[in-house]
Amino acid sequence: KARSLINGNGFTLISTSDAKGVANTAFAGSATIIDDERMAVIQLGLGKTIENLKDNRNAMVIGFRINEDNPMGTEMARVYLSLMGDEDSGSLFEKMKEGLKKEAGEGLASMMQRVWVFRIEDIRISVPPAM
């Protein structure tokens, strides 16, 4: 379920905090659950997010798709993560770049700087109550 709410969703958010606990949230439309244990996020900007990850390797990605007929019925996935590392070349980098090219075009793909790889620590799905 988390994959359907995060992968390919331009409205995905990533939250981090610095060493003092000051939070930051940014768009991470390039977030992709790779497998049951890993998630990748393409670096396109994300300046404060990257700064925070140097001090605190924990992050949370939130993915949701708004239910147009009933906004209160929107499901949400919260994926709790810890940073494993980053790549600026290699097979994962190229795979993510190719996916970005298909989703957003060559221009944006050419701006891709690196891929941040996270270990999935927990996934929580919020399902609204039945009405």
Side-chain angles (χ1 to χ4, degrees):
K1 183 66 180 178
R3 285 179 199 219
S4 70
L5 294 169
I6 291 174
N7 292 11
N9 183 355
F11 296 107
T12 301
L13 303 169
I14 185 168
S15 295
T16 57
S17 61
D18 64 16
K20 295 179 183 177
V22 177
N24 179 69
T25 300
F27 281 106
S30 61
T32 302
I33 296 175
I34 301 168
D35 55 36
D36 290 345
E37 298 176 5
R38 298 176 301 152
M39 175 181 279
V41 176
I42 293 173
Q43 182 179 336
L44 290 168
L46 298 176
K48 184 63 176 163
T49 299
I50 303 309
E51 279 182 44
N52 286 350
L53 288 170
K54 291 176 184 174
D55 292 329
N56 179 347
R57 300 176 73 80
N58 298 309
M60 180 178 62
V61 168
I62 299 173
F64 58 93
R65 297 198 189 263
I66 295 174
N67 180 332
E68 300 274 334
D69 297 327
N70 177 14
M72 294 302 292
T74 298
E75 294 179 308
M76 175 179 61
R78 291 176 292 163
V79 183
Y80 295 84
L81 308 163
S82 59
L83 182 64
M84 295 171 67
D86 63 284
E87 300 179 13
D88 60 5
S89 62
S91 62
L92 177 61
F93 181 87
E94 292 304 323
K95 181 179 178 181
M96 297 293 289
K97 188 171 188 172
E98 189 60 35
L100 182 60
K101 189 186 305 183
K102 288 178 184 174
E103 292 277 328
E106 179 69 44
L108 202 54
S110 69
M111 295 169 44
M112 186 174 141
Q113 298 163 316
R114 60 185 55 249
V115 174
W116 295 84
V117 182
F118 296 88
R119 179 178 39 258
I120 296 173
E121 301 293 345
D122 192 17
I123 296 176
R124 299 181 192 166
I125 305 292
S126 298
V127 179
M131 300 223 171

